[in-house]
Amino acid sequence: NKEFPWKDRRSGFARAQEPSALEIAAEQMRVWPALDQEKQNELVNSEESTLYSQAIHYANRMVYLLIPLDSSGRNHKQDTAFEEERVSNSITNR
């Protein structure tokens, strides 16, 4: 493969090893100046989109941790209202 030579490389083992994240990043940095502006913009947008999606996923997981799985055990409406306000404030602050 002309664009990514590490794909052709074989390890000392009987099978091909997948390149590490550092190897892929190093190769991308090496070929970056040779890429045209359109391809660079496409890669930048793709990376930003991936990071944004991961941030949303992480925020959703944090919200799930704050919301109790079984809220039927609460006897006091005041406690429930306080908890809902705390979760709402937590989400708003993010």
Side-chain angles (χ1 to χ4, degrees):
N1 190 341
K2 193 173 188 179
E3 188 176 348
F4 301 106
W6 47 261
K7 287 185 178 181
D8 296 331
R9 195 173 43 203
R10 303 281 180 195
S11 70
F13 302 173
R15 61 180 173 82
Q17 283 188 333
E18 292 291 320
S20 71
L22 288 176
E23 288 174 321
I24 294 171
E27 183 63 22
Q28 287 291 326
M29 288 174 67
R30 188 185 69 73
V31 299
W32 183 261
L35 298 175
D36 61 16
Q37 187 65 37
E38 184 178 329
K39 180 67 174 176
Q40 286 180 351
N41 289 339
E42 178 185 329
L43 291 171
V44 166
N45 289 336
S46 176
E47 181 72 15
E48 287 176 355
S49 175
T50 300
L51 289 176
Y52 180 78
S53 295
Q54 289 177 344
I56 295 296
H57 178 68
Y58 179 78
N60 285 333
R61 291 185 67 139
M62 293 299 103
V63 169
Y64 296 148
L65 287 174
L66 291 174
I67 299 174
L69 294 176
D70 181 19
S71 61
S72 64
R74 295 186 179 269
N75 294 330
H76 304 291
K77 283 190 175 186
Q78 185 179 19
D79 289 345
T80 304
F82 175 75
E83 182 68 19
E84 287 174 2
E85 182 179 332
R86 186 179 71 78
V87 170
S88 176
N89 287 341
S90 177
I91 293 169
T92 303
N93 289 339
R94 286 190 175 82

